[in-house]
Amino acid sequence: MRDHAGAGSGREPADLAGAPPGRGVLEGAFHLLDVLAAAEEGAGLSELARDAGLPKATTYRLLRQLAALGAVQRHGQRYFVGRRLARLADAWQPDPRLQAAAREPVRLLSALTTTVAFLTVLEEDRVRVVTATRGDITEVPPVLPGSELAEATAAGRVLLMHRPDDDDAPAGFTPAEWRRSRTSFRRSGAIAVDHQDVLPGICCVAVPVRRPDGEVVASVSALTIRPAVPAGLSELVLRASREITRNLGRIDARSAE
């Protein structure tokens, strides 16, 4: 098969060959969308084919099919993530059990400390907010469920520290910065603290949230508009984390009945 873009062989890439009918095409399409989503200024056919490791003919065919579904849009010779896919991304939903377990502890943490309190999870390499409470604090923009935070925040560092491959520096960190972050995190007893490191005048404390079996599933944070972390804030964030773990245990127990 040969398309008008000049691609030649028409053979499927090795990682799609031999897949069950339909599955290989879906895997190729999602892989292509991952590559396209990382191209903030869009990408041309040749660039996408190279970065995705796919033949140009396959890439062109997938792009046409994705464009017909509204998942990809084309402007001139460049392709972009389509509006339909963007709407689906905005409709991201967290684990409802985690959301239910965290809602009241996060609200209470914000009320007791006069901070912006929130729970985050790691979705692939994205730090996403599950639930948040800001009380009467209006000096910072709202932290909304589904929104993304930078990896360098305390919440992001807590989650990234518990990846299976935490020895490898994630995006946004040099190897030296990541080694320093890991050392500081372990010395602090698994507490990450921002001392105006991300934004001037803002400090933040974050700790991991574990399931009853010990698996880290989230981080809970308290953000304060002060030049230094208030005394006792870390302990209150730890208390909120423990309460979320207990709530998860209760929810799991009710589900098992």
Side-chain angles (χ1 to χ4, degrees):
M1 174 179 176
R2 184 181 300 272
D3 65 69
H4 68 262
S9 68
R11 292 177 296 176
E12 296 294 343
D15 58 330
L16 300 185
R23 181 178 177 184
V25 175
L26 284 174
E27 290 176 348
F30 277 109
H31 177 54
L32 186 59
L33 287 171
D34 281 339
V35 173
L36 188 57
E40 296 182 0
E41 298 181 359
L45 175 61
S46 297
E47 182 182 353
L48 285 171
R50 183 192 67 238
D51 291 348
L54 298 170
K56 287 178 68 174
T58 301
T59 303
Y60 179 69
R61 184 169 63 252
L62 288 173
L63 287 169
R64 284 202 309 172
Q65 294 169 346
L66 291 167
L69 295 171
V72 165
Q73 56 186 339
R74 180 178 178 179
H75 297 292
Q77 299 301 311
R78 299 188 75 77
Y79 294 87
F80 299 82
V81 170
R83 294 178 181 175
R84 187 173 186 181
L85 189 65
R87 287 198 301 270
L88 289 173
D90 289 340
W92 172 82
Q93 293 293 329
D95 182 341
R97 295 170 300 177
L98 181 59
Q99 195 171 35
R103 189 174 294 116
E104 183 57 21
V106 167
R107 186 202 66 78
L108 184 59
L109 175 62
S110 176
L112 290 175
T113 58
T114 317
T115 62
V116 179
F118 51 94
L119 187 86
T120 51
V121 295
L122 191 64
E123 184 194 23
E124 295 182 349
D125 286 332
R126 297 179 178 181
V127 181
R128 283 190 179 268
V129 177
V130 173
T131 188
T133 303
R134 60 186 295 186
D136 296 327
I137 299 176
T138 59
E139 294 89 344
V140 296
V143 180
L144 301 175
S147 61
E148 295 182 24
L149 301 182
E151 296 91 341
T153 59
R157 296 201 309 273
V158 164
L159 293 169
L160 291 168
M161 293 291 174
H162 289 90
R163 300 177 309 160
D165 56 345
D166 76 331
D167 285 343
D168 299 327
F173 294 87
T174 66
E177 289 171 340
W178 187 238
R179 285 194 297 271
R180 287 194 296 270
S181 293
R182 291 176 60 213
T183 300
S184 174
F185 182 71
R186 289 166 180 169
R187 285 177 177 171
S188 67
I191 298 174
V193 181
D194 284 339
H195 297 282
Q196 304 189 62
D197 301 312
V198 177
L199 290 173
I202 293 180
C203 296
C204 185
V205 174
V207 303
V209 173
R210 300 179 183 273
R211 293 188 59 82
D213 62 6
E215 177 190 0
V216 173
V217 293
S219 69
V220 62
S221 309
L223 182 151
T224 181
I225 306 173
R226 298 186 185 183
V229 175
L233 181 59
S234 295
E235 179 54 40
L236 289 171
V237 179
L238 283 165
R239 187 184 303 175
S241 173
R242 291 191 290 267
E243 184 60 27
I244 295 170
T245 298
R246 283 192 289 268
N247 287 346
L248 283 170
R250 296 185 188 108
I251 292 171
D252 289 346
R254 287 199 297 268
S255 299
E257 292 176 354

